[in-house]
Amino acid sequence: MVYRQTIDATSYQFHDLRDLLAKATPPRSGDRLAGLAADSAEQMIAARMALADLPLKQFLNEAVVPYEDCEVTRLIVDSHDVSSFAAVSSLTVGGFRDWLLSDAASAETLTKVSRGITPEMAAGVSKLMRNQDLILVASKCAVTTAFRNTIGLKGRMSVRLQPNHPFDDARGITASILDGILLGSGDACIGINPASDDPAVIGELLRLLDDVISRLQIPTQGCVLTHVTTTLDLIGQGAPVDLVFQSIAGTEAANRSFGVDLALLREAREAGLSLRRGTVGANVMYFETGQGSALSANAHHNVDQQTCEARAYAVARAFDPLLVNSVVGFIGPEYLYDGKEIIRAGLEDHFCGKLLGLPLGVDVCYTNHAEADQDDMDNLLTLLAAAGVTFIMGVPGADDVMLNYQSTSFHDALYVRDLFGLRRAPEFDDWLVRTGLADIHFRLSGNAGPLPEFASRLIA
């Protein structure tokens, strides 16, 4: 279907819904690289005006990636909840924006409609929203998951403790874990990005995490972020797997470039569930995504990168994950050029994920060749905390020495928790109190409780 909009006697034409969504997108380098971005600010505004008048029902009639060509599209269409959609089915995209910002869209109501909203609807309405709109609506969304602790409760923000090491050295990783634990991080999970893909090394890292968590009785979960097939094999060998990790994207072709499909993810989830290692819940999957992943694999079907990202959330939603993480600035400036684009993308991703009912966290990050710095990350971190972000990363010094990118530190988490009065997952908070690692005066210094004794137990 062709869409048209006239502004001051100038007529703009958009070939189909895919083209309309792309032209309405705020500027970013990835869409410019792909030749999908609006040619001018005037064309972008014309696209937004046409998009605002589009009935939400049109998204159910026109797929941006053909149904017969993509299992992600089939998943989106076949799993659409008509009854949940009923509350907003009469709205246009612009009317949907107004409704989301109104008092009628309470946390309870947003939960009820989430399964009726498609990723393309979420992406479409986000293109009409200012940053403050994205923050306000996301802050109203309540998404809670659980494994050994409870993630996503109101007034709380979790942290993934990321103790990466360039040589997967056990002592170096343990030192980073100690650093993070003493500063109150690790309730989302303790998650290692391994430098090696050797299953023997992965198995040793899993056993290291299991030993630390079980010996110190930490109410959290461990994860080694290796390919899902490696995790499946290790589960078969009896390895202590808590969370099953996989990077995912928004098209079948992009997921194939990662070596996965929906059937494999279903198999992995069932394997994770079969271990019954959770104590307060059974959400066993951990997914990571990022704007530009489909484009970088030439698997985007001429869909703008933010809409592709939202479609990845449909994949995640099908598997009831504990954690979903947009690694927003990691892919590089070819896709998000500078701090402004990274900040906008991070807020979009968080909004779309929460609106679709996911426990969305954000790796507030940038690569060293991007036009961004840590002040930009401070800004995004603060905005996301205001928006109710589920979790962020905790990296020693904010500098990942294995992946060679800049993220957020354990002290950054303390800053934002102090600023907004945020707590950790309740079970983790209680554990910190029991061990003497947290009290009413626990702040940036981390100097509370019997730290030397605790440190020696961890290092032993």
Side-chain angles (χ1 to χ4, degrees):
M1 180 175 176
V2 176
Y3 300 90
R4 295 179 176 85
Q5 184 67 43
T6 300
I7 301 177
D8 294 336
T10 301
S11 180
Y12 296 91
Q13 180 172 297
F14 308 98
H15 305 301
D16 50 25
L17 181 58
R18 177 173 52 192
D19 186 40
L20 181 65
L21 289 168
K23 296 298 190 292
T25 304
R28 66 204 56 198
S29 55
D31 291 337
R32 294 191 291 273
L33 173 70
L36 302 175
D39 296 329
S40 64
E42 291 81 1
Q43 186 186 38
M44 180 180 67
I45 295 302
R48 291 182 185 177
M49 291 173 67
L51 180 61
D53 291 336
L54 186 71
L56 281 180
K57 289 181 178 178
Q58 182 60 25
F59 288 94
L60 303 177
N61 300 322
E62 185 177 356
V64 296
V65 181
Y67 183 92
E68 59 274 13
D69 293 345
C70 182
E71 67 172 358
V72 176
T73 301
R74 294 193 288 275
L75 172 68
I76 293 167
V77 173
D78 297 346
S79 64
H80 181 249
D81 189 325
V82 176
S83 61
S84 296
F85 181 58
V88 296
S89 61
S90 64
L91 300 176
T92 62
V93 179
F96 185 39
R97 171 190 175 273
D98 294 341
W99 180 83
L100 288 170
L101 291 168
S102 75
D103 292 339
S106 64
E108 181 181 3
T109 303
L110 289 170
T111 299
K112 289 179 179 177
V113 304
S114 63
R115 293 283 173 169
I117 299 170
T118 69
E120 292 85 355
M121 292 176 193
V125 74
S126 76
K127 298 175 193 298
L128 305 182
M129 301 176 98
R130 293 169 58 185
N131 285 2
Q132 66 175 253
D133 300 337
L134 299 173
I135 293 167
L136 178 60
V137 176
S139 73
K140 297 194 287 184
C141 296
V143 182
T144 305
T145 57
F147 189 76
R148 290 202 190 97
N149 57 30
T150 308
I151 306 291
L153 294 169
K154 284 291 184 180
R156 297 179 184 268
M157 184 196 73
S158 295
V159 176
R160 171 190 155 194
L161 201 171
Q162 184 169 305
N164 297 343
H165 191 279
F167 307 113
D168 293 328
D169 179 75
R171 290 181 62 83
I173 289 170
T174 303
S176 293
I177 293 173
L178 171 61
D179 188 17
I181 291 294
L182 296 184
L183 290 170
S185 289
D187 53 335
C189 72
I190 303 174
I192 303 170
N193 296 91
S196 171
D197 59 2
D198 184 342
V201 174
I202 306 302
E204 286 301 313
L205 294 177
L206 286 167
R207 285 184 282 275
L208 170 64
L209 290 178
D210 182 60
D211 179 61
V212 169
I213 291 170
S214 60
R215 186 151 50 93
L216 300 176
Q217 299 181 315
I218 310 172
T220 191
Q221 35 284 327
C223 185
V224 178
L225 283 68
T226 188
H227 194 270
V228 66
T229 53
T230 302
T231 303
L232 272 169
D233 288 343
L234 288 167
I235 288 175
Q237 297 171 29
V241 173
D242 289 343
L243 303 183
V244 178
F245 168 81
Q246 183 55 47
S247 294
I248 56 172
T251 70
E252 178 181 349
N255 283 324
R256 283 181 176 172
S257 76
F258 290 147
V260 300
D261 57 21
L262 298 181
L264 179 60
L265 294 177
R266 280 191 288 271
E267 179 185 355
R269 179 172 180 265
E270 289 304 313
L273 288 170
S274 72
L275 299 178
R276 301 182 182 273
R277 292 175 61 85
T279 56
V280 298
N283 299 111
V284 298
M285 302 300 287
Y286 175 15
F287 294 117
E288 285 192 346
T289 68
Q291 287 195 29
S293 59
L295 175 58
S296 68
N298 195 29
H300 60 298
H301 296 268
N302 289 324
V303 177
D304 70 89
Q305 65 183 35
Q306 191 250 334
T307 301
C308 279
E309 172 72 4
R311 283 169 56 92
Y313 302 153
V315 176
R317 185 166 65 174
F319 300 98
D320 297 321
L322 179 75
L323 306 167
V324 181
N325 178 33
S326 166
V327 192
V328 66
F330 183 74
I331 300 180
E334 300 84 358
Y335 305 95
L336 296 169
Y337 177 71
D338 57 14
K340 183 178 178 66
E341 292 187 4
I342 292 171
I343 288 169
R344 174 68 190 191
L347 295 176
E348 289 170 347
D349 293 352
H350 182 251
F351 162 83
C352 288
K354 283 292 187 64
L355 190 61
L356 293 169
L358 288 174
L360 217 292
V362 178
D363 188 346
V364 180
C365 64
Y366 64 102
T367 58
N368 290 312
H369 61 310
E371 291 294 321
D373 59 28
Q374 211 65 34
D375 285 338
D376 295 313
M377 299 305 102
D378 286 350
N379 292 342
L380 178 54
L381 172 62
T382 306
L383 295 174
L384 285 168
V389 69
T390 304
F391 69 101
I392 61 169
M393 301 296 109
V395 177
D399 182 6
D400 193 300
V401 296
M402 195 281 283
L403 292 174
N404 292 310
Y405 79 119
Q406 308 303 310
S407 185
T408 46
S409 71
F410 309 131
H411 290 84
D412 293 333
L414 290 175
Y415 144 73
V416 82
R417 281 170 168 158
D418 272 359
L419 179 63
F420 290 98
L422 299 170
R423 304 291 299 276
R424 301 158 186 83
E427 300 86 351
F428 193 86
D429 249 350
D430 292 345
W431 176 81
L432 288 173
V433 172
R434 290 196 308 272
T435 55
L437 292 177
D439 62 24
I440 196 170
H441 303 296
F442 186 80
R443 289 297 183 265
L444 294 178
S445 68
N447 189 22
L451 304 191
E453 176 186 351
F454 185 89
S456 64
R457 288 176 57 202
L458 182 56
I459 293 170

